[in-house]
Amino acid sequence: MGAKDMRGRTVWLVGLSGSGKTTISSALGEILEKRNQRVSILDGDVLRKGLCSNLGFSEAERAENIRRIAHVADLLADTGATVLIATISPLQVHRDIARAILPDQLQVFVKAPLSLCEARDPKGLYRKARAGDLPEFTGIGAPFEEPIDPDLICNTDTENLQSCVQKILLCLEEDMGSSPKNGSRSLR
Ligand SMILES: Nc1ncnc2c1ncn2[C@@H]1O[C@H](COP(=O)(O)OP(=O)(O)O)[C@@H](O)[C@H]1O
Ligand SMILES: [Mg+2]
C-alpha cells in the first residue's frame, strides 16, 4: 500500500461556541478508535493554549489560527490518522483557507441558533461576553457567517448527539471509495 492510500480523512467541524463541536468530535473519535482507527482531535480551544497561544481574535489572527491548524491536520492525515478538527471558523474566508489547504476535508456545519448556544453556555463564555469581558466573542461582539457550502449539517437543536455522530460516520463510510487528496468532493 502506498503512502497516499494510507492518508486519513479530515473532518472539519465549524460552528458557534456551544453548538456542539467538541462534544461531537470526542464522541465520533471514540467510535472510530473502537473501530481501530487512529484518531487525532485538533480542538481550537486546546490549540489556542499552545501552538496558537500568541494569536488573538481579530479576523486576521483567526485566519492565521485556521491556517496553522489546517497544516497540522494535513501532516497528521498523512500519517494515516483520521483528523477531527473543531474550530469556530467564523467567516467564510476562514473556511476558504482551510479548504485550500485540505481540499478533501469533510466540512460539517454544527448548527444551532445563537439563542440556544447562549442558553447552553457550556463554558460560561456567553455570560462573560455579555458582561463585556470578551469583546470579540463570536456571535456577540464579532460576526459569524453561516458556511455557504458545508458537506454536511448537524442541527444540534433538533438532532441528538448520537444522530449527529451517525450522520458523519455514514458520510465517511460512503466516501471511502473516493481517493483522498486528488478525490472529488463526492459528498457535496
Ligand atoms: N446534538 C448535540 N450535539 C452536540 N452537543 C449537544 C447536542 N445536543 C446538546 N448538546 C450539548 O451542547 C453543548 C455543546 O458544547 P460544546 O461541545 O463544548 O460546544 P463547542 O465545542 O461547539 O463550543 C454540550 O453541553 C452538549 O452536551
Ligand atoms: Mg469546543
Side-chain angles (χ1 to χ4, degrees):
M1 203 190 276
K4 239 184 167 173
D5 305 318
M6 299 279 290
R7 186 171 160 87
R9 295 297 315 269
T10 52
V11 180
W12 202 308
L13 302 144
V14 168
L16 286 166
S17 181
S19 60
K21 304 178 298 297
T22 297
T23 305
I24 291 172
S25 61
S26 60
L28 176 61
E30 271 181 34
I31 292 180
L32 293 171
E33 280 175 349
K34 279 193 193 128
R35 296 181 181 181
N36 292 320
Q37 291 187 32
R38 271 187 301 117
V39 176
S40 282
I41 296 182
L42 298 177
D43 194 286
D45 284 342
V46 176
L47 289 169
R48 277 189 172 277
K49 294 187 179 131
L51 179 70
C52 304
S53 63
N54 63 325
L55 299 175
F57 293 88
S58 68
E59 192 178 321
E61 287 170 299
R62 288 178 191 261
E64 173 60 12
N65 182 53
I66 297 299
R67 191 191 68 82
R68 283 186 203 172
I69 293 173
H71 280 294
V72 173
D74 188 38
L75 293 172
L76 288 168
D78 267 341
T79 73
T82 302
V83 189
L84 311 179
I85 305 126
T87 62
I88 298 173
S89 332
L91 302 182
Q92 191 56 41
V93 67
H94 300 140
R95 272 95 63 171
D96 290 346
I97 291 167
R99 180 70 76 187
I101 297 165
L102 295 172
D104 58 333
Q105 69 179 264
L106 179 73
Q107 186 194 94
V108 181
F109 179 18
V110 181
K111 187 175 180 185
L114 178 64
S115 56
L116 177 60
C117 295
E118 188 167 358
R120 287 175 179 164
D121 208 8
K123 288 165 291 188
L125 296 176
Y126 284 96
R127 194 172 40 78
K128 280 191 190 164
R130 289 290 184 196
D133 296 336
L134 296 173
E136 291 169 299
F137 193 69
T138 301
I140 309 296
F144 180 80
E145 296 169 353
E146 295 211 339
I148 53 172
D149 59 351
D151 298 302
L152 186 67
I153 300 178
C154 289
N155 294 289
T156 70
D157 54 341
T158 54
E159 299 168 280
N160 66 21
L161 175 61
Q162 199 196 1
S163 325
C164 294
V165 169
Q166 285 306 321
K167 234 168 137 170
I168 300 173
L169 280 170
L170 199 66
C171 262
L172 290 174
E173 283 160 14
E174 279 174 1
D175 205 36
M176 287 273 270
S178 82
S179 157
K181 207 128 206 196
N182 58 11
S184 63
R185 296 183 58 199
S186 58
L187 296 169
R188 295 182 69 186

